[in-house]
Amino acid sequence: IDQLLQLARVDAAGDDAFTACDISELIRQVCADCGADAVARGQTLELDTPPALAATVQADWLAILARNLIDNALRYTPAGGRINVSLSEEANGMRFTVADNG
């Protein structure tokens, strides 16, 4: 329900503009928002990202995507499991990965 409400808010704002964004900070914030859920489920949520990684993106939509992937990993990883979130810069762009043992 939270995801649907967030999608409705972003869609209603009609702001599909690409803007400069520190993607590392955006992903750090999403992981911080999910941290309490990981602790409550007895899981380890790890983040590997450069200190700063700037790009021109649709930040709200990227945050929704990241939150959805991390939420799914939290939901389907058993207690004691590990969720690894990583962001890296590559020759042709960036790589965002959510890996778990669920």
Side-chain angles (χ1 to χ4, degrees):
I1 292 176
D2 287 336
Q3 288 176 354
L4 290 174
L5 290 172
Q6 187 177 17
L7 283 170
R9 281 191 294 270
V10 170
D11 194 40
D15 187 9
D16 290 340
F18 284 78
T19 57
C21 175
D22 181 350
I23 297 175
S24 290
E25 179 57 32
L26 185 145
I27 299 301
R28 268 194 293 279
Q29 185 59 53
V30 172
C31 285
D33 293 345
C34 295
D37 289 340
V39 170
R41 292 179 165 126
Q43 300 162 328
T44 301
L45 178 60
E46 294 180 344
L47 174 62
D48 179 23
T49 185
L53 190 54
T56 301
V57 298
Q58 292 174 316
D60 289 336
W61 292 108
L62 181 58
I64 290 169
L65 169 73
R67 177 67 187 240
N68 190 4
L69 292 171
I70 294 168
D71 278 344
N72 285 343
L74 291 168
R75 187 171 292 123
Y76 298 109
T77 299
R82 181 175 304 281
I83 296 102
N84 297 308
V85 178
S86 66
L87 177 66
S88 60
E89 189 168 19
E90 300 194 346
N92 295 329
M94 296 177 204
R95 180 182 302 253
F96 173 65
T97 306
V98 178
D100 63 73
N101 60 346

